[in-house]
Amino acid sequence: VAPQMGAHAGQLHVVRYEDLVRTPRRILADVERFCGLDRHRYVLPAIDADTAARHRALVPDALRAAIAGRAAEVRAQFGYASPAAPQV
């Protein structure tokens, strides 16, 4: 994503969902530092790391296929495997 930002890449702070779920306090501290914010004490509820299956059923196959196609390059940049294309 940073290459697409060009000269503004320094204004981008990437947060991966998996990292936020695994180490929320560290990731939130990183975001606060990046934004120049004072430290805050967060009360963090348990975060469900695998919501994809629950939400997948809510998105029609044609829309999922369109999203997968448009997101393929970004998924590859972050090391995510491309999902199997739904049959439409």
Side-chain angles (χ1 to χ4, degrees), residues 35-47:
C35 294
L37 300 172
D38 293 334
R39 292 283 293 143
H40 180 77
R41 233 169 207 230
Y42 296 96
V43 176
L44 301 172
I47 301 172

Side-chain angles (χ1 to χ4, degrees), residues 3 17 21 24 32 37 42-43 46 48 56 62 65-66 70 75 77 84:
Y17 180 76
V21 170
E32 289 169 334
L37 300 172
Y42 296 96
V43 176
D48 184 0
R56 191 171 290 118
R70 293 186 70 176
R75 292 178 66 81
Q77 288 175 0

Side-chain angles (χ1 to χ4, degrees), residues 17-75:
Y17 180 76
E18 297 85 350
D19 299 333
L20 179 63
V21 170
R22 189 175 26 254
T23 57
R25 292 187 193 288
R26 183 180 64 79
I27 297 300
L28 291 171
D30 291 348
V31 170
E32 289 169 334
R33 251 188 316 280
F34 180 79
C35 294
L37 300 172
D38 293 334
R39 292 283 293 143
H40 180 77
R41 233 169 207 230
Y42 296 96
V43 176
L44 301 172
I47 301 172
D48 184 0
D50 187 18
T51 60
R54 185 172 63 232
H55 294 110
R56 191 171 290 118
L58 301 174
V59 180
D61 288 346
L63 180 55
R64 280 199 352 244
I67 292 169
R70 293 186 70 176
E73 183 179 333
V74 173
R75 292 178 66 81

